[in-house]
Amino acid sequence: MLEIKDLHAYYGPIEALKGINLKVDEGAAVAIIGANGAGKTTLLNSISRMVKTTGSITWNGQDLTVLNATKIAKMGIMHVPSGRHVFPGLTVYENLEVGSVNWHSPLKDGDYTKDLEFIYNLFPRLEERKNQLAWSLSGGEQQMLAVGRALMGRPKILLLDEPSMGLAPVVVNELFEKIDEINQQGMTVLIVEQNSKVALHHSSYAYVIDDGKITMEGPSEELANDDRIVEAYLGKKRG
Amino acid sequence: MKKAISIILVCFMIFGLAACGNGGNEPAEQGTIKIAVIDAFTGDKAVNGQYSKEGIELALAEINEKGVLGRQVELIYEDGQGKETETTNAYQKVISEHELDAVILDKYSSDVLAVEQFVKENGLPTFCQGSSIKIEASDTSNLYSTRRSDAGAGGSVVAFIKEQGLKKVAILHSPDALGQSMGQVVVDGLTKAGIEVVSDQQFANEDQNFTNYIAKVLASGCDCFVAIAQTTHSAQIMIAAQEAGLSQGENAITCIGNSAFVQQSSIQNALEASNNWYACTAFSPTISMEPTASWIKKYNDTYGRLPDMTSACMYDSLKMLANAMETAGTTDPAKVNEALHAMTDYRGVVASYGYQGTPMLSKAEYVCHIEDQKSIVLQIVYAE
Amino acid sequence: MLYLQMAITGISMGMLYALMAMGLTLIVKAVGVLNFAHGQLFMLGAYLTWMLTYSLNLPLWGVIVCGIIVFAICGAAYMFSVYWPLRNSSWKVTVTISTLGASIALKEFVQIVWGTIPLTMKPIVNGVFHFGTVYLNYQYIFIILIGGGLMALVYILFEKTFLGKVMQATAQDRYCAELIGIPTIVSIMATYMISMVLSGTGGWLAGPLFLVSSSLGSLAQKAFAGMVLGGFGDVKGAIVGCLLIGMIESFGLIITDAYKDAIVFAVLIIVLVVRPTGIFGEKISEKA
């Protein structure tokens, strides 16, 4: 279980997160929605220790704030950054292979059979293109590759930063269905999204973040029907 | 806190600048005689600066035992890096910061020519070790060189080639003033003497690999190879020539170099490759004639190695300046220059010196042959 | 026969340039910075191996083993002093300027430690190989063999091993590499170490041919040219480009001596006009 208490994050003198409290239960799919610049990416960067913070972040009781990014990954917390970020000069297969770095023994060859089987089942297109260089994949395929690579690390929780960004609606739906599948197999998922509709549809609990603070929280279904959310984030007019 | 630090830093700055300002205001007649020495103390040619410094410090120690006109001589070193822009900057810097009595420049003719106009303007007695014909042709009457000009050295090379009866000459020269002027003198002299110049190559300063140049020399079918370079490249040219069987072995031809080829650093680096080379030079570290031999021994005892020509020239420069000041009875530049112009036969470590109407003071040159990594003097060439 | 001589000299010189260029490209790919002190690392390699051979009097195998260890340490030390403190600076050019400073410092450092007089180093095997009128110092052949072997090893490391893929990944996207758990500092340090081993070995091979002096680093100019010619940022391109530059430089001497460098750079300009990304170019283009 991931628990965050009174988290403040700083980019130099700028305070990007101003006291965040949230919880992600094991096996849950939690969404964090908010506008651009609200602090969503900063929140994930705080968990993966890419930014300076004060406050408490614990994973199953263990304090994460004293660790570095490498150790976080080793603990099974995989942050998939926004903008896809595949390794462009490596093939699909090599990208996936590299994802196993935190459990791969440096001298022996890794046994990826089970992991690859799972990932290729989930994303058959990746298997089709496994020897293709990652830069030449379509946006949707790259996003799948990024998620697949994270899965290769045998994580216990996936942090997904704006997985829908830049993708066509059809592709977005397909992707989120796959995320559902992963979640149903027991993976804890924390999704940060600007596309509130899709995020709320595919999560059980949600937080709304605005200007570095949590302004609302609750079961996703309830938030999806809440007027304030509807007007501010779902683009429908009230009444 | 930050403000306090800034104020303290500003105070330090003001203190520092004030302290600097007081440095150069000693009255000129009392205190030390100040002579600036500009040479390459850092950079690619730093080896030259090291030899120069060692040579001139020997002279300084001897001179300061008695002093000059009852005063001690102080040397002020500035780094010219053996490059024209840096030398000019160093010159401007040292002229403006100190009240100088004289200046001694390095052996790179390009550097000397770069500051020539300033030398003329300030009238200080200025020594250099450059040999370019442009220095010889200069009308700057307060500029002196401890060398013969390349015309002389080039002429000696041509004379030697004629004497040996060689018919086809290949030339390789450096891109600086030395290479171009001496190269030109040799080409002109040979042509006038009816000897064919079958190849004339110029290498680049950054060149480290001479294999291809030597290959072209081989292909030219010459019976004589003339190489003109500074000590930065002379050893490598000799090594490449040996590898090609040009200077040694059954197909060897006559290889002649300029003074750089018989200097200590050159022979030390080329080792056996230096054998069989001829060179036209004013100084070589294994000369057996006096007073040169004793001086070489003293240098060797002091520094643990043999001197370079520049060490000897620098030594002579300082000694001649001191001598001229004593003769003139003052450090007044005009009078010192007069004394130097009146000098007819000063016996230095390198040669006999005398003013002959041009900046070139030296009256001696030798043709040497390298045997067993030592240079043996074959002929002594004097100026008319 | 003159042409054969020039071809072999050209390939050897090209190999020296390629050893430098390969190391330089690795650093460019790993940290996105052009290392202006690279020629000086080459020079430092020559001085260090001279010290191992003549001051410590180690036998050949000792020089090789200790040399690699010393180079690795120097590579790491170089990274920590010149790159690491400035890696998060807001101006990308900061590290480049730092390498400029390092190049000057290294040049003078070797003169302070080992003196200004150039040092002599004996070749691995003394002697000259004669073939008709072609004569070639054995050292040239060693350069081609050892240089080629080293490059092959590095190629295998990067293209065929897991560690190599991890290092490539770090070079391509450092932020993402951190997130998936790659200890990027180790990866970058390894890159610098490999780079130094390549350049240092080049210096060791070149020392007997050129005298060990502070101006040994100027060979890097041609290495840069080779990198640009072959496609900046591509290791294969760097090697091919440098071999070409070595050949052009060598054969350019047939046409002219004083302007042979101008010929090299003229060819470079023509190739860049026709194909701006160099012969092999950058395979990766931005996807929106």
Side-chain angles (χ1 to χ4, degrees):
Chain A
M1 179 186 76
L2 179 72
E3 192 161 356
I4 296 178
K5 292 202 183 109
D6 194 30
L7 180 68
H8 295 257
Y10 300 91
Y11 288 115
I14 301 171
E15 191 179 12
L17 297 178
K18 301 172 185 169
I20 302 280
N21 295 299
L22 68 83
K23 217 170 50 162
V24 180
D25 288 320
E26 184 148 352
V30 172
I32 302 184
I33 60 176
N36 244 342
K40 309 193 295 295
T41 301
T42 314
L43 179 54
L44 293 187
N45 274 332
S46 305
I47 302 171
S48 57
R49 307 313 299 150
M50 299 298 279
V51 81
K52 278 192 173 41
T53 63
T54 63
S56 128
I57 308 176
T58 58
W59 169 252
N60 290 335
Q62 187 168 356
D63 182 12
L64 297 186
T65 58
V66 296
L67 303 175
N68 63 22
T70 319
K71 295 215 180 72
I72 298 285
K74 240 193 163 78
M75 290 188 68
I77 302 172
M78 273 298 180
H79 175 176
V80 180
S82 69
R84 295 178 285 281
H85 279 268
V86 293
F87 298 119
L90 298 177
T91 63
V92 168
Y93 177 79
E94 288 169 345
N95 265 273
L96 293 174
E97 192 186 17
V98 163
S100 71
V101 70
N102 61 26
W103 56 262
H104 186 116
S105 128
L107 294 169
K108 273 193 311 185
D109 255 336
D111 181 14
Y112 314 121
T113 5
K114 283 226 176 70
D115 310 79
L116 282 178
E117 210 183 298
F118 179 65
I119 294 169
Y120 286 151
N121 263 333
L122 208 51
F123 303 120
R125 281 225 283 284
L126 289 186
E127 184 169 16
E128 278 170 43
R129 305 199 189 288
K130 69 175 182 226
N131 290 320
Q132 213 174 311
L133 288 177
W135 71 267
S136 62
L137 264 50
S138 74
E141 287 159 353
Q142 285 186 351
Q143 187 63 65
M144 294 181 201
L145 178 56
V147 173
R149 181 184 58 197
L151 289 174
M152 282 294 286
R154 298 188 182 160
K156 305 206 177 57
I157 173 173
L158 272 182
L159 311 174
L160 299 166
D161 196 343
E162 303 208 27
S164 73
M165 188 165 79
L167 300 182
V170 168
V171 181
V172 170
N173 282 328
E174 190 188 334
L175 179 66
F176 270 83
E177 269 161 37
K178 299 294 183 186
I179 295 175
D180 277 347
E181 235 183 280
I182 301 172
N183 176 240
Q184 272 148 32
Q185 306 231 1
M187 175 79 67
T188 317
V189 171
L190 175 61
I191 308 174
V192 142
E193 257 299 342
Q194 210 185 330
N195 184 337
S196 318
K197 184 163 162 211
V198 128
L200 291 174
H201 190 62
H202 290 273
S203 59
S204 54
Y205 199 84
Y207 295 84
V208 179
I209 185 171
D210 185 19
D211 193 30
K213 295 204 191 78
I214 302 285
T215 50
M216 281 182 75
E217 62 177 273
S220 302
E221 230 178 287
E222 272 178 40
L223 285 185
N225 293 321
D226 186 310
D227 283 342
R228 287 169 292 171
I229 303 289
V230 167
E231 177 170 323
Y233 296 103
L234 295 180
K236 296 200 184 106
K237 261 208 150 106
R238 215 204 297 212
Chain B
M1 184 59 184
K2 275 192 183 167
K3 227 182 165 191
I5 295 179
S6 321
I7 296 177
I8 294 176
L9 280 175
V10 170
C11 286
F12 269 120
M13 250 175 62
I14 298 177
F15 259 119
L17 287 171
C20 283
N22 282 329
N25 287 339
E26 272 176 40
E29 278 303 314
Q30 271 60 54
T32 55
I33 297 178
K34 292 188 174 44
I35 302 182
V37 179
I38 303 177
D39 205 317
F41 295 112
T42 64
D44 293 338
K45 302 190 178 136
V47 59
N48 197 64
Q50 184 178 342
Y51 276 119
S52 295
K53 190 159 189 215
E54 290 174 354
I56 210 173
E57 299 254 321
L58 279 183
L60 185 69
E62 288 170 19
I63 291 169
N64 275 342
E65 275 173 29
K66 294 218 181 77
V68 174
L69 306 171
R71 294 155 66 192
Q72 291 283 285
V73 172
E74 181 192 344
L75 295 178
I76 299 165
Y77 294 100
E78 278 298 333
D79 183 15
Q81 294 186 33
K83 295 186 195 151
E84 292 137 82
T85 33
E86 300 304 326
T87 303
T88 313
N89 288 339
Y91 187 90
Q92 302 286 48
K93 177 171 183 254
V94 78
I95 288 280
S96 62
E97 279 181 5
H98 302 271
E99 292 252 358
L100 297 172
D101 296 296
V103 177
I104 302 180
L105 300 172
D106 62 28
K107 75 173 196 199
Y108 299 106
S109 304
S110 328
D111 297 346
V112 176
L113 293 166
V115 297
E116 192 196 341
Q117 62 181 105
F118 306 119
V119 172
K120 201 175 190 176
E121 272 167 25
N122 63 45
L124 291 173
T126 305
F127 268 79
C128 74
Q129 345 294 331
S131 58
S132 163
I133 46 183
K134 291 203 182 130
I135 297 180
E136 185 181 37
S138 163
D139 60 355
T140 307
S141 61
N142 56 318
L143 178 65
Y144 312 95
S145 171
T146 50
R147 309 276 302 281
R148 276 186 86 205
S149 83
D150 295 329
S156 305
V157 169
V158 173
F160 182 73
I161 294 176
K162 256 170 80 177
E163 196 186 309
Q164 301 281 310
L166 300 164
K167 299 272 184 267
K168 292 182 167 174
V169 180
I171 302 177
L172 174 66
H173 66 263
S174 58
D176 57 3
L178 164 73
Q180 295 194 339
S181 70
M182 186 165 164
Q184 196 57 53
V185 166
V186 170
V187 169
D188 291 343
L190 288 173
T191 319
K192 243 207 299 203
I195 300 175
E196 192 186 346
V197 176
V198 290
S199 159
D200 184 5
Q201 301 182 79
Q202 176 179 295
F203 63 86
N205 230 344
E206 307 79 40
D207 269 328
Q208 312 259 7
N209 183 8
F210 288 92
T211 315
N212 288 338
Y213 292 108
I214 299 290
K216 271 181 96 174
V217 168
L218 258 179
S220 70
C222 60
D223 55 8
C224 174
F225 172 45
V226 173
I228 301 166
Q230 306 281 3
T231 47
T232 12
H233 297 106
S234 49
Q236 277 154 256
I237 296 177
M238 289 198 278
I239 292 173
Q242 183 209 26
E243 274 173 12
L246 198 63
S247 57
Q248 297 169 14
E250 39 181 54
N251 295 323
I253 61 175
T254 309
C255 295
I256 309 174
N258 64 318
S259 53
F261 285 75
V262 286
Q263 298 313 311
Q264 189 52 24
S265 54
S266 211
I267 298 183
Q268 213 169 276
N269 284 319
L271 298 171
E272 313 85 46
S274 63
N275 288 336
N276 212 26
W277 273 76
Y278 292 88
C280 210
T281 179
F283 178 87
S284 132
T286 45
I287 284 181
S288 51
M289 295 170 314
E290 292 297 342
T292 320
S294 301
W295 183 82
I296 293 175
K297 183 169 187 313
K298 183 174 179 188
Y299 185 104
N300 200 4
D301 291 339
T302 315
Y303 296 110
R305 76 183 100 89
L306 292 173
D308 184 274
M309 179 170 70
T310 191
S311 322
C313 289
M314 283 292 201
Y315 177 94
D316 278 347
S317 301
L318 188 60
K319 281 270 174 144
M320 271 192 272
L321 273 173
N323 191 49
M325 286 174 187
E326 285 283 1
T327 314
T330 166
T331 57
D332 174 41
K335 296 256 166 30
V336 175
N337 281 320
E338 254 180 54
L340 285 167
H341 284 230
M343 187 173 71
T344 51
D345 206 358
Y346 176 89
R347 186 69 183 116
V349 155
V350 177
S352 284
Y353 298 98
Y355 190 76
Q356 302 154 76
T358 75
M360 319 316 278
L361 299 179
S362 166
K363 293 198 221 173
E365 196 142 273
Y366 313 103
V367 172
C368 301
H369 186 231
I370 302 180
E371 293 161 25
D372 205 21
Q373 295 176 43
K374 289 195 179 33
S375 48
I376 313 291
V377 175
L378 292 183
Q379 305 170 4
I380 303 172
V381 179
Y382 285 119
E384 279 91 56
Chain C
M1 266 311 172
L2 180 66
Y3 295 141
L4 184 57
Q5 167 91 48
M6 296 203 156
I8 299 181
T9 321
I11 295 180
S12 306
M13 289 304 293
M15 269 290 171
L16 287 177
Y17 301 146
L19 279 171
M20 266 197 279
M22 203 174 177
L24 193 49
T25 306
L26 288 176
I27 295 185
V28 166
K29 283 168 68 137
V31 298
V33 158
L34 198 55
N35 180 22
F36 278 107
H38 213 73
Q40 277 63 50
L41 293 178
F42 181 84
M43 166 197 80
L44 186 64
Y47 273 101
L48 288 172
T49 46
W50 184 91
M51 181 177 76
L52 290 174
T53 317
Y54 296 103
S55 303
L56 299 181
N57 285 316
L58 297 173
L60 182 64
W61 63 264
V63 172
I64 294 178
V65 170
C66 289
I68 295 180
I69 298 174
V70 168
F71 291 155
I73 298 176
C74 281
Y78 182 77
M79 177 191 112
F80 279 110
S81 54
V82 175
Y83 163 72
W84 196 248
L86 301 167
R87 73 194 180 286
N88 290 324
S89 163
S90 23
W91 292 289
K92 282 261 95 178
V93 85
T94 315
V95 181
T96 310
I97 296 182
S98 170
T99 65
L100 272 175
S103 81
I104 300 175
L106 281 171
K107 253 185 131 171
E108 298 308 319
F109 168 75
V110 295
Q111 290 196 331
I112 294 174
V113 173
W114 285 285
T116 53
I117 303 176
L119 305 170
T120 333
M121 224 159 104
K122 291 218 175 64
I124 298 176
V125 174
N126 227 335
V128 174
F129 170 76
H130 275 283
F131 184 75
T133 54
V134 172
Y135 60 92
L136 204 64
N137 196 318
Y138 282 129
Q139 189 74 3
Y140 282 115
I141 302 184
F142 276 106
I143 292 176
I144 297 178
L145 290 176
I146 296 180
L150 204 52
M151 287 182 215
L153 278 176
V154 173
Y155 173 78
I156 293 175
L157 169 72
F158 276 99
E159 296 294 323
K160 304 283 176 206
T161 67
F162 182 71
L163 283 177
K165 306 274 176 54
V166 165
M167 288 173 70
Q168 281 197 58
T170 312
Q172 289 169 21
D173 191 329
R174 202 175 112 207
Y175 172 64
C176 197
E178 281 277 337
L179 292 180
I180 64 174
I182 297 175
T184 52
I185 177 175
V186 174
S187 177
I188 294 177
M189 189 172 78
T191 309
Y192 269 90
M193 286 170 146
I194 294 175
S195 179
M196 179 68 201
V197 168
L198 285 168
S199 307
T201 307
W204 172 61
L205 291 169
L209 290 177
F210 301 137
L211 295 184
V212 180
S213 74
S214 66
S215 49
L216 205 53
S218 59
L219 291 170
Q221 271 179 357
K222 301 280 170 51
F224 283 141
M227 277 172 74
V228 173
L229 183 65
F232 195 79
D234 187 53
V235 173
K236 187 167 71 242
I239 297 175
V240 170
C242 284
L243 290 174
L244 276 176
I245 293 274
M247 295 288 272
I248 297 172
E249 186 188 36
S250 202
F251 281 98
L253 200 57
I254 297 179
I255 309 175
T256 162
D257 51 288
Y259 297 111
K260 71 166 178 15
D261 284 346
I263 292 187
V264 171
F265 291 109
V267 171
L268 184 61
I269 292 174
I270 293 173
V271 170
L272 287 179
V273 163
V274 168
R275 201 180 149 75
T277 49
I279 297 179
F280 286 100
E282 265 280 80
K283 291 184 292 184
I284 299 156
S285 44
E286 278 297 317
K287 267 228 152 187

